Every structure is written in structure tokens, then in C-alpha cells.
Amino acid sequence: MLAAAAPASADRRTFVLALMGNLICSWSNNESLFIYVLMILLRTDEASAAVVFATLNTTRARLDLIQRLAKIRVSDKVLSKNLTALIERFSESTKVRNELNHCMFIFDSSGAITHTQSMRLMETRSSLRFGEIKALDEGRLQEMLRTTHEMTKINREIWDLLPRLEAHVCGAQPQSVSVDAA
């Protein structure tokens, strides 16, 4: 019955999937750009930075490493603030990406995607529930569009930051790490 009804909702389903694909592709490109940030902060070549990047198995670990290296390599307050702001914006966008990338999609009887259900277990003292269910309504689609546009801005800003970061790091001596910071 669902297979017979699905062609009627194909355009909307294709639109939703295209939005998700654009968001995930933009996110992935931006995450990969952080390899170049890491390369500059480590003062190494691209292949070595990529090895370090790939060895860390979560985005959070990769961004934590970049932030920690920036604390010892970047003394320019404005540059440091720019990098931190980019990482924070990327992390916010990551929440939307993760929500869509790690969920189950709920379809109605015509084959339209109507909701997502988080794959995260929610445990209380007395119960265990399978993740939150959210409508895939117009507001959520607009959030996906806004996030994709934000990803485009972040991408351009990372590219803009790279030469400034490189000039600073290559011209600046690394700061020593204090005992309480280590």
C-alpha cells in the first residue's frame, strides 16, 4: 500500500533528501577544512595533519585539539577570537547535522517523511525511552536551509582565516604552556 502511494509524495521526499544531502555535504567539507587549520597549528604538512585528524575519531576531539593548539600557538587575540567563533558556529551546525544523520525517519501512509526520531536513548530512574520525535515540518525545513547557508558562510570564513593564521603562526613563536594549563 505504501509503495503504491509513494509516488504522490516523491517531490517532497526528494526535496527533503536534497536538503539533507546539501547540509551533510557542506558540513563534511567544512570539517575537512579543519585539517588545514590543524596543519598550520602543528606546523606540518597536509598528509601528517590528515593522519592526526583521521586518528581522532570524533569531530569534538578534532575541534578540542585545534582549540588547545590555538591556545599555545595563537597570541593574536582577534585571530584567536575569530577561530573560536568559527569553531562554535561549526559546532552549532553540527548539532543539526547529527540530528538528521543519526535518526530514524517516520513516513506517513503516502510515503511522505513526516517526523524524525532521535536514535539516542533517554533514560530516567524508572523508564527507558527511545529518542525524541520531531515533526519534519516547514519550520524544520527552514532550519535545514539556514544551517546549510551558515555552512557556506563558515566555509568562506575558514578559507579567509587560513592565510592570516599561517602568517601569524609562522611569524610567532609558540607560547610556553604553564603548569596549571597542562
Side-chain angles (χ1 to χ4, degrees):
M1 204 166 123
L2 181 60
S9 62
D11 287 344
R12 176 162 170 88
R13 197 170 44 257
T14 300
F15 176 69
V16 169
L17 294 174
L19 280 177
M20 288 176 26
N22 286 335
L23 191 149
I24 290 165
C25 182
S26 296
W27 180 90
S28 184
N29 282 344
N30 285 349
E31 185 190 36
S32 297
L33 280 180
F34 284 109
I35 291 171
Y36 297 108
V37 174
L38 191 58
M39 178 183 78
I40 292 166
L41 292 173
L42 288 172
R43 296 181 184 179
T44 192
D45 59 281
E46 184 179 350
S48 298
V51 167
V52 171
F53 188 84
T55 301
L56 299 168
N57 63 356
T58 67
T59 301
R60 182 75 263 143
R62 294 166 180 155
L63 295 177
D64 285 348
L65 176 60
I66 288 169
Q67 288 176 307
R68 289 173 181 156
L69 287 169
K71 284 180 182 177
I72 62 171
R73 296 271 189 219
V74 181
S75 58
D76 181 302
K77 300 264 189 247
V78 173
L79 191 57
S80 178
K81 187 181 262 186
N82 291 159
L83 179 58
T84 298
L86 278 170
I87 289 171
E88 287 172 358
R89 288 170 49 214
F90 179 76
S91 294
E92 280 303 308
S93 298
T94 296
K95 292 175 187 175
V96 177
R97 177 261 184 194
N98 286 347
E99 184 181 316
L100 293 166
N101 211 36
H102 303 290
C103 72
M104 179 170 54
F105 297 94
I106 300 170
F107 297 83
D108 67 10
S109 60
S110 70
I113 304 170
T114 61
H115 293 79
T116 60
Q117 183 168 11
S118 167
M119 298 305 285
R120 179 172 285 168
L121 291 176
M122 302 170 87
E123 189 172 354
T124 65
R125 289 179 187 218
S126 60
S127 71
L128 183 65
R129 291 185 303 134
F130 197 52
E132 180 182 11
I133 295 176
K134 288 186 175 181
L136 196 56
D137 56 13
E138 190 58 34
R140 194 104 175 273
L141 297 177
Q142 289 302 313
E143 177 187 30
M144 291 165 66
L145 278 169
R146 280 190 306 275
T147 302
T148 302
H149 289 302
E150 175 67 0
M151 282 287 157
T152 301
K153 290 178 191 173
I154 290 169
N155 182 280
R156 294 199 173 55
E157 290 175 34
I158 293 171
W159 279 115
D160 180 56
L161 180 91
L162 290 172
R164 294 185 293 131
L165 182 63
E166 184 171 32
H168 174 75
V169 169
C170 289
Q173 293 299 314
Q175 301 170 354
S176 61
V177 179
S178 67
V179 175
D180 2 287

